[in-house]
Amino acid sequence: YKFNNSPLKYYFLNSWTIVTQLAALFFKLGFSTSLVSFSLVFLVTCIYFYSSYLLIIKFTDNKILSVIVSCFLIFFQKNLGDTDYPSFIFTAHTFGALAQALTGLIIACVFTNRLKIALFLSLLLISVHPIVGIWLISLFFLFLLIFYQKFEIKSFVSSFLAGFLILAISIGFYLYSSIETLDYSKDLFQIYIEKWDGHRANTGQIHYEYLIKSLIFILLINFIIHKKKEFKTGLFFLNLVMISSSAIYLLFKIFYLNKFQIFSMIIPGRLIITYTFILWPILLGLLYNKFMHKKIFTKFFYFLIILYSLMHYKNFLILEKSFKNINIIFNLEDKKNIYTILKNIDETGNIIATEYTGDYVITISKKPLLLMKSFDYMPYHPYLINKLVEILTEVYGYNFNDPYIKNYPYLKDEFVKKIFENKNQRDWIKIKEKFNAEYLITPKEWDIKMRPIHTDNKNNLFKI
């Protein structure tokens, strides 16, 4: 990003997360986009698997069953559902998925008395997702103060120092690479929060179904193990996580705390889905533990797994198709298409893309993008609101005060298509001069008033 027109330059350099830092390091070492992407998703999957395995083997003492059930839960992506924030295992939303997976592993470590590892992971979580990490480390310190004496807490110093060292390195790298922020209009930012943001929208909608499911699960878990002393600390920490996250969620929803800028970056539903996956291995493991003295229950357990898998066989086809699509996307690098042509152009300026073409401009062409499909990062970077409004209105034709779809902070091709088709070459030249944008990519069927310099089977590439 040689120019300061695109908000993405500020977003990439001023977003603190060790996930981006590690990806940047891998790219510097020459790793391919596909390898880095698959590695991140694989890491998340391994964390989910290990947390589930730790819990189930703790409750069942059966390694084979623990592996089978853990694979089953991950493959079918079992969870309690979504809130204002989606819950996925195989996903491109890496920060949220990794934060959710690490939270589950921390809970598993507390249940299995791996408290030093839990402390280390809690500090690491801050560098992955600062808001989730700060919340969880606060709960963990409260947990230590309640259950341990001062002399016992001293044994955690080495774990604390190890986690703090990684955290300090990550912060140091962030401070070194970050750039100066900008002045901005607080009124425009407030309009964004109220009319554009989807995760923090003042809709008043409370996800009662998710809360009811959470209540049922936690009541069952407490009922089954409340008398078992070996699970006392794990149960307390789980209750602490679930009660505090639900309380924060309800406070934000009832009093709409997102309207205050100090709280604007917090997603109310982000915290309560951190346990959406981990409750399943806990409950299944406990049920098995309670009834394991009956041999028929073990057979029934396996029967349910097989039956569910057969009934939901379409999940196998969906997952297979997803991975085939991913391979097709990354194999585009080997073909003479729009993105490889763009990749070989030395100076491009900021690329203007549409809803679906922007991701490939970054991942395949590795060129600076004027605006991504998603701009829901704005609450973390309010100083970018003026730049966003300029691009949305002058390039993409949106009315910022009256969104095309309310509480939808994403580009929408069905709207953008008409705007782009109505622009003449003079309009595009004005955009080029103001936003240092020399190239435009659109779907092939769009009637753009310019001659493309290259065409493939899906898109046109224009030099403005």
Side-chain angles (χ1 to χ4, degrees):
Y1 286 88
K2 293 186 177 181
F3 308 103
N4 294 328
N5 306 87
S6 173
L8 296 181
K9 175 178 181 177
Y10 297 84
Y11 166 67
F12 286 130
L13 292 174
N14 289 346
S15 295
W16 173 40
T17 169
I18 200 170
V19 180
T20 299
Q21 293 169 347
L22 287 174
L25 176 62
F26 292 145
F27 287 136
K28 291 287 185 183
L29 293 173
F31 287 58
S32 68
T33 305
S34 55
L35 180 58
V36 174
S37 299
F38 277 115
S39 297
L40 289 173
V41 176
F42 182 68
L43 173 63
V44 172
T45 308
C46 286
I47 294 173
Y48 275 122
F49 173 82
Y50 187 56
S51 60
S52 175
Y53 177 81
L54 280 179
L55 286 165
I56 296 173
I57 201 169
K58 171 74 174 179
F59 299 133
T60 67
D61 197 30
N62 187 326
K63 291 182 180 181
I64 295 176
L65 180 68
S66 301
V67 170
I68 291 173
V69 174
S70 297
C71 290
F72 168 83
L73 292 174
I74 290 170
F75 188 86
F76 288 100
Q77 302 188 66
K78 299 301 295 179
N79 57 61
L80 296 188
D82 303 327
T83 57
D84 305 294
Y85 197 93
S87 174
F88 300 112
I89 292 178
F90 307 113
T91 175
H93 301 280
T94 320
F95 312 139
L98 190 53
Q100 184 174 301
L102 280 174
T103 303
L105 183 55
I106 291 165
I107 293 171
C109 286
V110 175
F111 261 104
T112 56
N113 204 32
R114 293 171 169 85
L115 298 181
K116 293 180 182 179
I117 297 175
L119 175 59
F120 171 79
L121 293 174
S122 299
L123 288 164
L124 181 63
L125 181 56
I126 298 175
S127 64
V128 171
H129 197 300
I131 291 174
V132 177
I134 291 170
W135 162 69
L136 201 69
I137 196 70
S138 301
L139 297 183
F140 192 81
F141 281 140
L142 177 61
F143 163 78
L144 288 181
L145 289 173
I146 292 173
F147 281 95
Y148 291 88
Q149 302 296 325
K150 286 184 178 180
F151 71 90
E152 293 175 307
I153 292 177
K154 288 181 180 179
S155 64
F156 290 90
V157 171
S158 59
S159 296
F160 177 83
L161 291 176
F164 186 78
L165 178 61
I166 294 177
L167 184 60
I169 292 172
S170 178
I171 293 174
F173 188 80
Y174 161 71
L175 294 174
Y176 173 77
S177 60
S178 60
I179 57 178
E180 187 176 355
T181 57
L182 310 165
D183 293 327
Y184 68 98
S185 167
K186 293 184 178 180
D187 291 335
L188 287 177
F189 180 69
Q190 202 57 41
I191 292 173
Y192 174 87
I193 291 294
E194 293 175 2
K195 296 185 177 183
W196 287 85
D197 193 271
H199 298 316
R200 306 160 183 84
N202 185 21
T203 60
Q205 180 185 2
I206 297 175
H207 294 77
Y208 290 108
E209 181 183 348
Y210 186 90
L211 292 174
I212 291 170
K213 287 180 183 177
S214 300
L215 181 62
I216 292 171
F217 266 70
I218 197 62
L219 287 176
L220 281 171
I221 292 168
N222 275 271
F223 175 75
I224 294 171
I225 62 172
H226 72 283
K227 292 183 179 180
K228 297 186 177 183
K229 293 182 180 179
E230 68 267 31
F231 301 133
K232 181 180 178 181
T233 55
L235 182 61
F236 177 85
F237 188 70
L238 179 63
N239 287 331
L240 200 58
V241 168
M242 295 185 67
I243 292 171
S244 66
S245 60
S246 299
I248 292 170
Y249 174 78
L250 290 172
L251 282 173
F252 268 78
K253 282 293 185 179
I254 294 170
F255 299 104
Y256 185 42
L257 297 182
N258 284 121
K259 66 183 177 183
F260 301 106
Q261 190 164 336
I262 190 173
F263 297 125
S264 62
M265 66 178 65
I266 298 175
I267 301 173
R270 170 68 269 182
L271 301 182
I272 64 171
I273 66 162
T274 52
Y275 56 77
T276 185
F277 170 82
I278 205 65
L279 288 185
W280 277 101
I282 292 175
L283 184 60
L284 292 176
L286 287 172
L287 287 173
Y288 185 91
N289 179 273
K290 189 171 180 63
F291 300 104
M292 63 186 297
H293 58 282
K294 299 178 181 179
K295 291 183 179 180
I296 192 171
F297 185 77
T298 304
K299 295 179 181 179
F300 182 66
F301 214 78
Y302 284 114
F303 171 75
L304 286 179
I305 291 174
I306 295 170
L307 180 64
Y308 187 94
S309 300
L310 291 174
M311 290 175 64
H312 295 78
Y313 73 95
K314 289 184 179 179
N315 284 61
F316 292 86
L317 303 177
I318 292 170
L319 197 60
E320 181 189 18
K321 184 179 178 181
S322 297
F323 280 102
K324 281 183 178 178
N325 288 339
I326 291 170
N327 279 316
I328 290 170
I329 289 169
F330 286 117
N331 283 335
L332 288 174
E333 298 181 55
D334 302 325
K335 299 176 181 178
K336 288 294 181 182
N337 57 40
I338 291 291
Y339 305 107
T340 52
I341 294 293
L342 191 60
K343 183 178 182 179
N344 294 323
I345 299 174
D346 292 332
E347 296 293 336
T348 62
N350 297 314
I351 309 298
I352 299 173
T354 57
E355 180 180 358
Y356 294 107
T357 59
D359 287 346
Y360 306 140
V361 171
I362 292 177
T363 57
I364 298 174
S365 303
K366 296 179 174 63
K367 295 297 182 182
L369 192 64
L370 185 63
L371 189 68
M372 286 192 298
K373 170 190 175 181
S374 168
F375 39 91
D376 60 353
Y377 52 80
M378 200 54 55
Y380 299 107
H381 304 272
Y383 58 89
L384 293 176
I385 190 64
N386 292 53
K387 284 187 175 295
L388 175 68
V389 173
E390 277 190 345
I391 294 170
L392 282 179
T393 55
E394 297 181 36
V395 179
Y396 291 95
Y398 284 91
N399 180 348
F400 190 71
N401 292 303
D402 185 20
Y404 176 66
I405 302 175
K406 192 173 181 182
N407 302 122
Y408 185 81
Y410 309 96
L411 296 177
K412 191 69 175 174
D413 273 358
E414 66 182 35
F415 173 81
V416 174
K417 179 178 185 290
K418 298 176 183 178
I419 301 299
F420 278 19
E421 289 181 336
N422 287 332
K423 292 183 186 294
N424 57 41
Q425 194 159 9
R426 187 177 299 175
D427 295 327
W428 288 114
I429 290 173
K430 287 181 180 178
I431 289 171
K432 170 186 174 179
E433 292 173 348
K434 181 167 183 177
F435 297 99
N436 297 108
E438 294 187 22
Y439 289 87
L440 165 70
I441 294 181
T442 68
K444 195 173 182 178
E445 64 271 17
W446 289 19
D447 182 22
I448 304 298
K449 306 301 187 293
M450 290 188 293
R451 186 185 298 275
I453 64 168
H454 188 77
T455 298
D456 61 20
N457 59 342
K458 288 187 177 180
N459 301 299
N460 285 328
L461 174 64
F462 302 90
K463 181 175 172 59
I464 302 174

